[in-house]
Amino acid sequence: MAKITMTVNGRQVSGTCDDRTLLVHFIRENLGLTGTHVGCDTTQCGACVVHMDGQSVKSCSILAAQAAGSAITTIEGLASNGELHPVQAAFKTYHGLQCGFCTPGMVMTAVDMIRRHGGNLDEATVRAELEGNICRCTGYHNIVQAILAAAAETGGARQAAE
């Protein structure tokens, strides 16, 4: 058993888990944060995306012990003082979800995408960056529009022609 300590959504947390426990399972089972979803356990769907030390990672591909000492942000940690993060708000406004299963991973990927690309974010870039995230319900149009709108609101995107 491993005893690990990390910062999750701004709070220092500790727990014990089997050495082979994946970060996604530690977050869900040990911490009770169920917004991070398990979709495939093979890094293909992106439902498990969280931020580790500021970068998006698929938490089904990282052992919890590897994240010891790291700062982790989950979907539950994005909102601030009861206000949705701009990406969360854009997903709501632009109907960038249907069943909602992929939404936490999409939102976390989008936040990191906007952070990395800033003013160079456009529709083609968004679509290319979303290749690691699968949505089985939508055609991605509203998801892309939501990300572009959030990027524009935060000063990081050129609007694509509609």
Side-chain angles (χ1 to χ4, degrees):
M1 297 291 276
K3 176 157 174 62
I4 56 175
T5 300
M6 62 183 75
T7 303
V8 178
N9 300 331
R11 286 187 20 242
Q12 188 171 24
V13 298
S14 296
T16 56
C17 62
D18 191 64
D19 293 339
R20 61 187 173 182
T21 300
L22 295 172
L23 179 58
V24 68
H25 295 296
F26 183 81
I27 290 169
R28 291 180 60 82
E29 296 164 14
N30 290 53
L31 304 180
L33 299 173
T34 58
T36 302
H37 294 158
V38 179
C40 67
D41 276 335
T42 59
T43 74
Q44 294 180 9
C45 76
C48 68
V49 172
V50 298
H51 294 172
M52 185 165 99
D53 297 326
Q55 297 183 358
S56 63
V57 297
K58 292 182 178 178
S59 60
C60 74
S61 67
I62 297 173
L63 296 172
Q66 289 175 291
S70 293
I72 306 295
T73 304
T74 69
I75 191 73
E76 292 92 344
L78 284 186
S80 178
N81 298 319
E83 293 289 321
L84 293 176
H85 183 279
V87 173
Q88 292 172 307
F91 267 67
K92 179 180 176 186
T93 300
Y94 287 84
H95 308 288
L97 59 108
Q98 283 187 15
C99 82
F101 190 81
C102 71
T103 304
M106 291 282 189
V107 168
M108 298 305 287
T109 297
V111 169
D112 185 51
M113 185 188 318
I114 293 167
R115 178 193 61 78
R116 287 182 293 107
H117 289 281
N120 295 319
L121 191 58
D122 58 22
E123 184 173 347
T125 303
V126 170
R127 288 186 179 278
E129 292 267 340
L130 287 178
E131 286 193 12
N133 294 71
I134 295 172
C135 177
R136 292 175 175 93
C137 299
T138 71
Y140 295 89
H141 178 77
N142 291 352
I143 293 169
V144 171
Q145 295 308 308
I147 293 169
L148 290 172
E153 180 182 328
T154 60
R158 298 187 311 263
Q159 286 292 341
E162 295 194 33

